[in-house]
């Protein structure tokens, strides 16, 4: 077994996980995949994965276990109920889900108690980056666990950054996405106000994109159709990063902020605005679609 032909179990083949598992196959790994959805399993099979009938079957004899699951409770249940004990003691465990910091640290501690090395490695980049292998991974865990996880993550991403101890990957992810949510709302407000003041959106972009208001939400992901590089705004706000997922991350951020006694008034306001947006039936739209409410 070398770094280029590991046996890897992949748990969770949704919009993100499916592309990530496919990229592990492209990198030369033997991937045994599991998901509750038969359609997701069928797609994984089409991309070269071997499919398993259960988590326990997927992780048996695996050199590494990668998971991409919806929330912390499911992650905790999967690892404590099905991975620990079924996976070999030498397997490295990588949870790429976005979950709360406390649960990430609890799962990592239980992994250690069962003799496993584990990292939390949430991602930034969205579905296109998952399919293209250009994700950014923010990794929490020991130096030893990170060293083992890094080559696996590199097969799925363009940047793999060690954020520190267990749970710090999740901390980095939710802080980053809270900032992204705040920036996007501010960008939307500025474009909406510029138009109402009679300023052409392209002209405002040309000015602000080279001035102090410049930010990623403007110059890489502009919420106005026909302005800046191609973005979900040019496709009716379809694809990209769903507003419901942005709301999930903002809620995780506020929960963590309260635990850490960190004041985040802008984060709280961003959460409230996305709660209204998603509550109005827009959860499946890209998060930049919130400009339509302004």
């Amino acid at each position: 077994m070398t770094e280029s032909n590991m046996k890897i179990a992949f748990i969770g083949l949704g919009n993100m996980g499916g592309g990530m598992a496919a990229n592990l196959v492209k990198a030369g790994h033997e991937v045994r995949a599991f998901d509750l959805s038969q359609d997701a399993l069928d797609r994984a099979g089409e991309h070269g994965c071997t499919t398993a009938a259960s988590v326990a079957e997927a992780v048996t004899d695996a050199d590494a276990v990668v998971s991409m699951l919806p929330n912390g409770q499911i992650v905790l249940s999967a690892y404590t109920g099905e991975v620990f004990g079924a996976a070999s003691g030498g397997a490295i465990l990588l949870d790429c889900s976005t979950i709360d910091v406390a649960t990430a640290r609890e799962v990592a501690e239980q992994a250690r108690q069962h003799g496993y090395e584990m990292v939390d490695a949430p991602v930034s980049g969205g579905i296109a980056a998952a399919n293209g292998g250009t994700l950014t991974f923010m990794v929490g865990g020991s130096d030893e666990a990170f060293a083992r996880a890094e080559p696996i993550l590199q097969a799925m991403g363009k940047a793999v950054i060690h954020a520190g101890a267990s749970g710090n990957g999740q901390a980095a992810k939710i802080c980053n996405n809270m900032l992204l949510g705040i920036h996007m709302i501010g960008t939307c407000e500025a474009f909406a106000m510029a138009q109402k003041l009679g300023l052409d959106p392209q002209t405002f972009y040309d000015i602000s994109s080279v001035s102090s208001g410049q930010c990623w939400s403007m110059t890489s992901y502009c919420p106005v159709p026909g302005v800046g590089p191609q973005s979900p705004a040019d496709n009716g706000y379809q694809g990209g990063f769903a507003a419901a997922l942005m709301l999930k991350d903002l809620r995780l951020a506020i929960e963590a902020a309260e635990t850490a006694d960190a004041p985040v008034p802008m984060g709280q306001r961003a959460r409230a605005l996305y709660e209204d947006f998603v509550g109005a039936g827009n959860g499946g739209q890209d998060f930049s679609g919130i400009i339509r409410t302004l």
Side-chain angles (χ1 to χ4, degrees):
M1 186 270 294
T2 67
E3 288 183 352
S4 62
N5 65 348
M6 298 176 71
K7 293 180 181 179
I8 300 177
F10 204 105
I11 313 303
L13 303 165
N15 290 332
M16 298 291 290
M20 294 165 66
N23 282 316
L24 289 173
V25 173
K26 290 178 185 176
H29 300 297
E30 178 185 333
V31 179
R32 192 184 303 145
F34 174 76
D35 193 278
L36 292 173
S37 164
Q38 187 59 49
D39 287 343
L41 285 172
D42 291 343
R43 286 193 297 271
E46 291 169 3
H47 287 106
C49 298
T50 301
T51 58
S54 66
V55 171
E57 180 184 330
V59 304
T60 299
D61 298 327
D63 302 306
V65 177
V66 181
S67 55
M68 191 62 161
L69 298 166
N71 59 55
Q73 188 55 50
I74 293 173
V75 170
L76 181 63
S77 176
Y79 277 93
T80 59
E82 301 181 82
V83 175
F84 298 157
S88 64
I92 175 71
L93 312 180
L94 305 85
D95 180 41
C96 297
S97 319
T98 296
I99 65 174
D100 61 286
V101 175
T103 299
R105 289 176 174 158
E106 179 182 352
V107 176
E109 178 56 32
Q110 291 201 36
R112 282 189 287 271
Q113 291 175 7
H114 283 84
Y116 299 100
E117 289 184 328
M118 184 172 189
V119 298
D120 52 287
V123 307
S124 178
I127 297 170
N131 293 335
T134 58
L135 293 166
T136 293
F137 289 91
M138 296 152 266
V139 189
S142 68
D143 291 342
E144 295 78 14
F146 176 76
R148 293 184 61 194
E150 186 175 18
I152 299 168
L153 298 172
Q154 285 175 336
M156 300 182 286
K158 65 177 181 179
V160 180
I161 303 167
H162 191 194
S166 294
N168 281 17
Q170 299 295 348
K173 169 68 184 285
I174 60 175
C175 289
N176 178 78
N177 278 24
M178 182 181 73
L179 183 60
L180 174 60
I182 293 168
H183 277 179
M184 180 55 75
I185 291 169
T187 300
C188 291
E189 286 184 351
F191 270 103
M193 184 171 74
Q195 285 186 271
K196 289 177 180 178
L197 291 171
L199 188 59
D200 177 74
Q202 183 64 54
T203 301
F204 175 62
Y205 176 89
D206 292 341
I207 294 168
S208 193
S209 65
V210 293
S211 301
S212 55
Q214 186 276 331
C215 63
W216 185 88
S217 294
M218 174 182 290
T219 54
S220 295
Y221 211 87
C222 189
V224 179
V227 178
Q230 186 83 11
S231 72
D234 299 306
N235 189 37
Y237 301 97
Q238 299 305 304
F241 184 47
L245 295 178
M246 172 54 80
L247 177 57
K248 171 194 170 183
D249 289 355
L250 287 167
R251 285 171 169 166
L252 289 172
I254 301 309
E255 178 184 335
E258 291 171 350
T259 301
D261 195 25
V264 287
M266 295 295 288
Q268 290 176 327
R269 184 61 182 141
R271 178 190 62 178
L273 289 169
Y274 274 105
E275 283 176 340
D276 291 344
F277 184 61
V278 172
N282 301 305
Q285 285 190 28
D286 182 75
F287 79 111
S288 63
I290 199 168
I291 193 172
R292 290 172 161 173
T293 68
L294 299 169

